[in-house]
Amino acid sequence: MSLSLKEMAAVAAFLQSGAPRPYPAHYMDTAIQTYRDVCKNMLLAERCCLLSAEILKSQAKFSDAATLLIKMTSEDSDLRSALLLEQAAHCFINMRSPMMRKFAFHMILAGHRFSKAGQRHALRCYSQALQVYKGKGWTLAEDHINFTIGRQSFTLRQPENAVAAFRHILINDSKQSAVQQAAFLREYLYVYKSMSQLSGDGSLPQLPLPCLHSSQTRVFFGHERRLAEGEKQAATHVTLEQEFDRDLSQLWRELEERVVSVANRGTVPITFQPSQCCLNSQTDNLRYPLAIVEEPIIVEVVFRNPLKVPLALSALSLLWKFTLKDFSNPQGGATGETISNEKEVRLLITTALNDIIDTQVIPEFTISPEETKVARLKLLPHKTGELHVLGVVYNLGTGEVGNSEGSLAEDLMCVRGQQNLEIQGPRLNMTKEEKTSVRYGPDRRLDPIITPPMPLLEVFFINFPTGLLCGEIRKAWVEFVNVSAVPLTGLRVGSTHPEFFTFGSATSDLTPVTPTAAEHCSAYKTVAMPPSVATVSLVSPAAFGVTSGDQLVVTEIPLSRGVLGPGEALQIPLWLRGPDQEGVHEINFLFNYESTEKTAKLSHRVLRHTAFICASRSLSVRATASRSNTLHGRERETEEQQEAEEKNGSMLVFVDVENINTSEAGVREFHIVQVSSSSRQWRLHKCINPVGDKDSKLASRERGKLCFKATRCRTEEGGASSTHTCTKTLMYSMYFHSIGGMSSLTPQSWTDDGGTSIVKKCSEVELDIIVLWKAYVVEDNKQLILEGQLHVALQTIGKESCSLSQKEETQEMVLLKFKPDVPPPVSKPSLEQLSHLIKTCLHYPESYDHPFPQKSLCTVPVTLTLSNCSSAQVDVIVDLRHKTTSPESLEVHGSFSWLGQTQYKLQLQAQEVYKLFLKACFFQAGVYNLGTPRVFAKLAQTSAMCETSQQSAMPALIIINSI
């Protein structure tokens, strides 16, 4: 009775009106303890506890109420404890500063006790606790909650909620042990399978495993290329094993544009679309890619297994839909029905859809724990139309290995589902609206258009070398095979290094019947000429696939009747020339071809090949040119020769050849076989220091010097010349490719820049030297003969040119300029350039006999020839009053006088040759220097230009004898 009085006293104190009195909570605590421990009456204790808790909550004493409720929990009754824990959890969340984690913790405890009591309220408690733990990084607690929610939902026949809970466990980076993850996976598969049996829905649901990286999906169009067979090396083209290189991709695009431009007579079509055989996240996927009917499409899908247990995928294939469309009609053609393989892949049946698109199925695909693995799935279209790859379909099971019974159980746990391939396009950032909002463009790599049949080319290289000497000429073979059912035409090849190769003619005398017959075939064809005749005819390079203009970069491959039929093959020789610089060089080839039937969708196809060549040192050739016959005695030459050279001009060419090979390639010695030239203006006339018919031999580090006389060509004979009695035809083909269009044969455009270009033209040579050599190499105890050629381009008189390009100097740091520079003034010719306007030549006898005792004055006729080297009028002043005043010169050469007029003012037209007839007067015998006339010149149209002396430092000596 006293306990009831204390309980009622506490309640009465709480309910008393007027002056507030503190609530005597200790009365209730004493009553609860006595009911529970002494009276053993839990019903009265629970009543007293709940009443006290409500009083405390009404006074906002949630902490005390929660403590009181938690004290009443026990192991006697799960249901009573669950109710009390749930009420305690609500007390924590209703505090002035809510205690969220305590709320969630006690809700989980309440759910656990509800679950033990067999009450469905457990699902509600776990779901409320999940709202607190979700996304906070407490992965283990979150996995436990989801696992319990999944089980509870499945028990309460809520399969959708159960699948969602188990899915969340599997897709996150779980920190559970492998055993626990395997249990989660088995539970998920069981729930998933039960759900699919209950629903009976025909659609395939989404599977959470393995993780599918849609953005890393790659799509490859075309057949797998055949590998090398013996001496045959297949073109590298594009494969899925190659990593994407943006710079290299841009290089191929520019090369393809150049080839297409040549094929279309110098213009690139507006509808031009660069060929892309492999699409990925870095390629341009804004346009619909083009695929060819009857050619496979390979979709590379990247899977990742986030679990510590293996996953077993089976019956893996692509899910697609296809719209039939006929592209044979130029106006577009009719559009047919849209077909999907969803039903077939869901039921694992084979139907007539294989007549439209043959879909590859991978029977087994196992992914190890925490492994990222690539699956390559193939589609083979048999009809034209529009294809859309939607996703992948497969059976999912655990990859655990067990006994036969266990394997049977795992098979029963295998479920079938799909994952969609959803690829986000690139961020749009062009217009103002796109910049201020987040918009993404389309990514159409999975939406190819299937076009009508096109030819398919395969290229094989036979005996293609991996190492060459610099300038070495080597012969290989290239084989073209049309492996399609469509004829091929318009075969062209472009390269980033056109100087590296040239094609031979299949009907040329240089071409053996088979590649094996060419083992000891020389690279050159020698034509004997009379010893007294200088070879000036230029061999036409048309037999080597070389013409003018852009054809130096793009070469057309001659085909029989212009067509390479289905299944046909063609072998032609390929001449290679080693790069001029040592080291490893990357050579890119682009083969472009078309179909005989023009289609609106695809105009051409390409095939790529990349070769690596290691070049070793051979020879270094340096050449310089200098004016000859200036102020020099010429009495020994005939009058016809003098007049010809005065009109056309001549010069000396010095060629310095050095053996820089370090013998690492087994080279014993080099032989200089021939020196030739190619120019519109000049040709090599003869060798001043000849060595007879023998070749010049150069051992390691030896140097040889050659001097040639070059004469200006007449208009009708400009071209190439050789200093030996033979013409080597392949030499000019290789030269055309190496020089890059024969820059010396291209007319220069002159501009009105104050006469600088005209004056500069006077000192330009535009003469290219070609040096042929042979090298004797010992390899495998056999002596081989290697052949090669080097090129030197002479541009300016007196300036040395070398076959090896000089290393670029390091650029120095420059200051930033924030104001625009003032336009540079019109450049004026330098004094050195002006000194080449007029070329002078003195004609006089080398010695002259005179009877001084009978006649005291001796007069000798001298002819001064003035040649205008420019293409403009030149004003010339000849001053004969100059005398040598140097005492040293007077001691060597005597003093003389010029008779008659002492100054001449002349105007020479373009390329005009003018002769002045002078008389020199001598007073006694001796040696005299006739090179005293001073010659000044300036362009006629420039009045402000200073007159510049044309005097040469080269003396002109005459001997006067007394008889």
Side-chain angles (χ1 to χ4, degrees):
M1 186 65 182
S2 60
L3 295 177
S4 299
L5 291 176
K6 284 189 176 182
E7 181 181 358
M8 293 304 295
V11 174
F14 170 70
L15 296 175
Q16 185 177 2
S17 61
R21 295 181 59 185
Y23 169 67
H26 58 283
Y27 284 3
M28 282 293 189
D29 294 340
T30 302
I32 292 172
Q33 184 178 3
T34 305
Y35 283 140
R36 184 182 59 187
D37 299 336
V38 178
C39 299
K40 304 297 183 182
N41 192 336
M42 292 301 299
L43 181 60
L44 296 178
E46 292 169 3
R47 184 195 68 184
C48 187
C49 176
L50 294 175
L51 184 59
S52 179
E54 291 299 324
I55 294 173
L56 292 173
K57 287 192 289 183
S58 67
Q59 295 181 345
K61 297 179 179 180
F62 294 102
S63 179
D64 296 339
T67 302
L68 182 61
L69 292 171
I70 293 171
K71 284 183 179 181
M72 285 300 299
T73 59
S74 65
E75 297 296 329
D76 298 338
S77 173
D78 291 324
L79 180 58
R80 180 181 70 244
S81 298
L83 290 171
L84 295 174
L85 289 171
E86 184 180 7
Q87 290 300 313
H90 284 288
C91 290
F92 287 121
I93 202 174
N94 286 310
M95 296 174 63
R96 179 175 299 177
S97 297
M99 305 178 73
M100 303 299 297
R101 287 184 292 181
K102 281 195 174 184
F103 162 77
F105 177 70
H106 286 85
M107 288 298 288
I108 291 175
L109 294 178
H112 176 67
R113 301 304 288 270
F114 275 127
S115 178
K116 290 177 66 177
Q119 298 294 321
R120 61 192 307 174
H121 302 289
L123 179 59
R124 182 187 71 247
C125 294
Y126 277 104
S127 299
Q128 292 180 357
L130 180 61
Q131 297 177 14
V132 177
Y133 284 108
K134 187 176 182 179
K136 297 298 190 299
W138 292 32
T139 57
L140 295 178
E142 192 174 351
D143 290 346
H144 169 74
I145 296 172
N146 278 297
F147 180 72
T148 307
I149 290 176
R151 278 194 166 183
Q152 293 289 334
S153 299
F154 181 74
T155 303
L156 297 176
R157 296 185 177 277
Q158 299 178 6
E160 294 82 3
N161 294 337
V163 169
F166 282 113
R167 178 187 179 87
H168 191 273
I169 298 175
L170 298 175
I171 62 176
N172 286 342
D173 292 332
S174 177
K175 296 182 180 179
Q176 302 284 353
S177 64
V179 176
Q180 190 64 40
Q181 288 181 359
F184 288 164
L185 179 59
R186 286 193 298 268
E187 199 80 23
Y188 168 77
L189 294 177
Y190 177 77
V191 171
Y192 184 94
K193 193 173 185 67
S194 302
M195 184 194 71
S196 59
Q197 291 175 352
L198 291 175
S199 62
D201 191 3
S203 61
L204 288 172
Q206 297 289 325
L207 292 175
L209 291 176
C211 297
L212 181 59
H213 297 287
S214 298
S215 62
Q216 299 181 20
T217 301
R218 296 196 297 171
V219 184
F220 180 79
F221 303 98
H223 285 282
E224 294 286 343
R225 299 285 168 176
R226 287 188 289 174
L227 302 177
E229 301 176 359
E231 295 296 329
K232 288 186 177 182
Q233 177 186 351
T236 55
H237 196 49
V238 181
T239 63
L240 285 169
E241 282 71 24
Q242 297 174 355
E243 295 292 335
F244 179 78
D245 188 328
R246 187 175 298 277
D247 295 336
L248 188 60
S249 176
Q250 180 64 24
L251 183 146
W252 286 115
R253 177 191 175 101
E254 294 174 357
L255 187 59
E256 183 177 356
E257 286 184 358
R258 195 159 188 176
V259 177
V260 172
S261 174
V262 171
N264 290 272
R265 299 180 179 180
T267 60
V268 179
I270 301 177
T271 58
F272 169 75
Q273 183 175 349
S275 302
Q276 294 188 114
C277 299
C278 184
L279 301 179
N280 52 51
S281 59
Q282 295 178 287
T283 55
D284 182 10
N285 305 324
L286 296 178
R287 297 183 179 181
Y288 291 97
L290 302 178
I292 313 298
V293 68
E294 300 298 340
E295 293 190 13
I297 302 172
I298 301 176
V299 180
E300 183 183 86
V301 184
V302 180
F303 292 107
R304 184 179 69 87
N305 180 8
L307 304 181
K308 299 176 182 177
V309 295
L311 296 177
L313 278 61
S314 59
L316 176 62
S317 62
L318 290 174
L319 178 65
W320 50 262
K321 67 177 181 179
F322 182 74
T323 303
L324 293 170
K325 196 169 184 179
D326 185 11
F327 296 107
S328 58
N329 188 357
Q331 280 70 28
T335 302
E337 61 176 334
T338 300
I339 305 169
S340 176
N341 69 333
E342 182 178 3
K343 181 180 178 181
E344 284 69 20
V345 297
R346 177 172 57 85
L347 300 177
L348 287 175
I349 58 176
T350 303
T351 63
L353 288 183
N354 286 338
D355 296 336
I356 300 176
I357 294 182
D358 191 358
T359 305
Q360 178 194 16
V361 179
I362 299 179
E364 296 180 358
F365 189 80
T366 303
I367 308 178
S368 302
E370 300 180 341
E371 179 189 13
T372 299
K373 193 172 182 179
V374 172
R376 292 177 180 173
L377 303 168
K378 185 184 298 184
L379 298 175
L380 184 61
H382 302 293
K383 303 288 185 180
T384 59
E386 298 175 354
L387 175 65
H388 302 278
V389 179
L390 304 177
V392 291
V393 183
Y394 55 92
N395 297 326
L396 175 62
T398 59
E400 297 175 343
V401 180
N403 52 21
S404 59
E405 296 179 358
S407 300
L408 181 60
E410 293 300 335
D411 292 339
L412 295 176
M413 286 298 105
C414 182
V415 298
R416 189 162 184 78
Q418 72 177 44
Q419 287 198 61
N420 293 334
L421 285 169
E422 299 176 350
I423 303 176
Q424 188 179 63
R427 168 77 183 275
L428 299 179
N429 196 28
M430 298 296 294
T431 64
K432 181 179 180 181
E433 291 76 9
E434 293 172 351
K435 292 180 180 180
T436 56
S437 60
V438 180
R439 296 184 182 180
Y440 295 92
D443 191 305
R444 307 191 188 279
R445 76 183 86 165
L446 296 176
D447 304 323
I449 296 177
I450 313 301
T451 64
M454 285 286 289
L456 183 63
L457 178 69
E458 287 191 353
V459 178
F460 298 93
F461 297 89
I462 306 173
N463 298 329
F464 196 91
T466 57
L468 294 171
L469 292 176
C470 293
E472 179 187 349
I473 303 296
R474 185 79 64 88
K475 189 173 188 177
W477 286 78
V478 61
E479 181 180 19
F480 302 97
V481 184
N482 184 4
V483 296
S484 68
V486 181
L488 181 151
T489 186
L491 179 57
R492 297 175 179 85
V493 57
S495 177
T496 54
H497 297 74
E499 74 280 1
F500 174 68
F501 69 97
T502 183
F503 286 96
S505 173
T507 60
S508 174
D509 296 337
L510 293 174
T511 305
V513 180
T514 60
T516 56
E519 182 177 357
H520 301 290
C521 180
S522 175
Y524 301 106
K525 176 184 178 181
T526 303
V527 180
M529 302 294 291
S532 59
V533 179
T535 307
V536 296
S537 61
L538 175 63
V539 179
S540 173
F544 299 94
V546 181
T547 56
S548 61
D550 291 337
Q551 296 294 333
L552 293 167
V553 179
V554 181
T555 305
E556 185 170 357
I557 307 300
L559 301 175
S560 177
R561 305 181 306 278
V563 175
L564 188 63
E568 291 185 357
L570 173 67
Q571 282 189 356
I572 60 175
L574 177 66
W575 297 94
L576 307 173
R577 178 178 176 270
D580 291 327
Q581 295 293 329
E582 66 171 331
V584 179
H585 299 263
E586 180 178 337
I587 314 295
N588 297 312
F589 299 87
L590 182 73
F591 297 92
N592 180 88
Y593 56 97
E594 305 171 358
S595 174
T596 54
E597 298 181 1
K598 303 299 181 182
T599 61
K601 288 293 181 182
L602 194 61
S603 60
H604 68 280
R605 301 190 76 177
V606 299
L607 177 66
R608 303 174 182 177
H609 176 66
T610 301
F612 293 92
I613 296 294
C614 181
S616 303
R617 292 183 178 182
S618 57
L619 298 177
S620 172
V621 180
R622 297 178 180 271
T624 54
S626 62
R627 290 258 169 83
S628 64
N629 72 352
T630 300
L631 299 173
H632 192 69
R634 305 297 300 277
E635 71 169 356
R636 295 182 181 179
E637 294 190 356
T638 64
E639 184 177 353
E640 291 79 7
Q641 290 176 331
Q642 291 182 11
E643 291 181 356
E645 293 196 13
E646 287 168 0
K647 182 178 181 181
N648 298 323
S650 63
M651 64 179 180
L652 299 178
V653 177
F654 300 92
V655 180
D656 188 345
V657 185
E658 181 183 2
N659 181 358
I660 61 174
N661 183 266
T662 55
S663 301
E664 70 272 7
V667 181
R668 287 186 172 180
E669 60 184 7
F670 286 88
H671 288 218
I672 307 303
V673 178
Q674 176 174 307
V675 179
S676 303
S677 66
S678 178
S679 175
R680 170 167 286 182
Q681 302 177 4
W682 300 91
R683 65 182 177 89
L684 296 184
H685 184 66
K686 64 180 180 179
C687 185
I688 296 178
N689 54 342
V691 293
D693 295 333
K694 297 182 180 180
D695 297 340
S696 300
K697 299 180 182 180
L698 296 176
S700 180
R701 294 301 178 181
E702 284 189 349
R703 176 180 296 181
K705 293 182 179 293
L706 300 173
C707 181
F708 300 93
K709 178 181 177 182
T711 58
R712 192 180 293 274
C713 299
R714 295 188 298 271
T715 305
E716 64 273 9
E717 68 176 20
S721 64
S722 172
T723 60
H724 286 217
T725 59
C726 62
T727 300
K728 312 244 175 173
T729 58
L730 179 64
M731 168 183 66
Y732 299 113
S733 175
M734 280 298 182
Y735 163 73
F736 295 151
H737 286 80
S738 178
I739 296 301
M742 291 187 64
S743 59
S744 61
L745 301 186
T746 304
Q748 300 291 330
S749 59
W750 295 348
T751 58
D752 186 11
D753 55 358
T756 302
S757 60
I758 298 177
V759 175
K760 184 179 179 181
K761 192 70 179 177
C762 299
S763 59
E764 289 183 353
V765 178
E766 296 179 354
L767 172 64
D768 299 315
I769 304 299
I770 307 172
V771 178
L772 304 185
W773 54 262
K774 286 185 179 181
Y776 294 88
V777 180
V778 177
E779 184 177 335
D780 297 333
N781 296 326
K782 295 181 180 179
Q783 179 170 302
L784 304 177
I785 300 178
L786 306 181
E787 297 176 313
Q789 66 186 57
L790 296 173
H791 310 140
V792 180
L794 286 173
Q795 299 294 334
T796 308
I797 291 179
K799 185 177 180 180
E800 185 181 64
S801 299
C802 183
S803 60
L804 300 177
S805 60
Q806 301 296 327
K807 295 183 179 179
E808 297 182 359
E809 297 181 358
T810 305
Q811 296 183 355
E812 297 182 357
M813 184 180 299
V814 295
L815 296 177
L816 294 177
K817 297 181 179 180
F818 298 96
K819 294 183 180 180
D821 293 336
V822 179
V826 178
S827 60
K828 295 183 179 181
S830 63
L831 297 181
E832 181 182 359
Q833 292 174 339
L834 291 174
S835 64
H836 296 290
L837 279 175
I838 299 298
K839 186 176 73 172
T840 60
C841 181
L842 283 173
H843 298 277
Y844 56 91
E846 290 186 357
S847 62
Y848 191 83
D849 299 333
H850 180 75
F852 281 100
Q854 290 81 16
K855 193 174 182 180
S856 60
L857 295 180
C858 173
T859 58
V860 178
V862 178
T863 303
L864 175 62
T865 304
L866 304 173
S867 301
N868 184 1
C869 299
S870 69
S871 58
Q873 289 183 351
V874 176
D875 293 334
V876 181
I877 296 178
V878 180
D879 189 359
L880 302 180
R881 294 173 296 179
H882 175 69
K883 294 183 179 181
T884 302
T885 58
S886 172
E888 294 81 2
S889 179
L890 288 176
E891 292 179 1
V892 178
H893 311 130
S895 178
F896 70 98
S897 299
W898 295 99
L899 298 181
Q901 186 176 345
T902 58
Q903 191 179 66
Y904 298 86
K905 292 185 178 181
L906 308 171
Q907 187 176 72
L908 301 184
Q909 302 298 322
Q911 306 294 333
E912 182 183 355
V913 179
Y914 186 84
K915 292 185 178 181
L916 276 178
F917 299 98
L918 309 175
K919 286 187 178 182
C921 182
F922 304 92
F923 305 101
Q924 60 182 358
V927 179
Y928 299 89
N929 180 13
L930 297 180
T932 60
R934 299 177 64 190
V935 181
F936 300 86
K938 71 178 182 66
L939 294 177
Q941 69 270 24
T942 56
S943 59
M945 185 179 299
C946 299
E947 294 180 339
T948 306
S949 173
Q950 307 292 313
Q951 175 67 32
S952 173
M954 191 172 182
L957 303 181
I958 185 173
I959 302 174
I960 304 298
N961 299 316
S962 179
I963 58 176

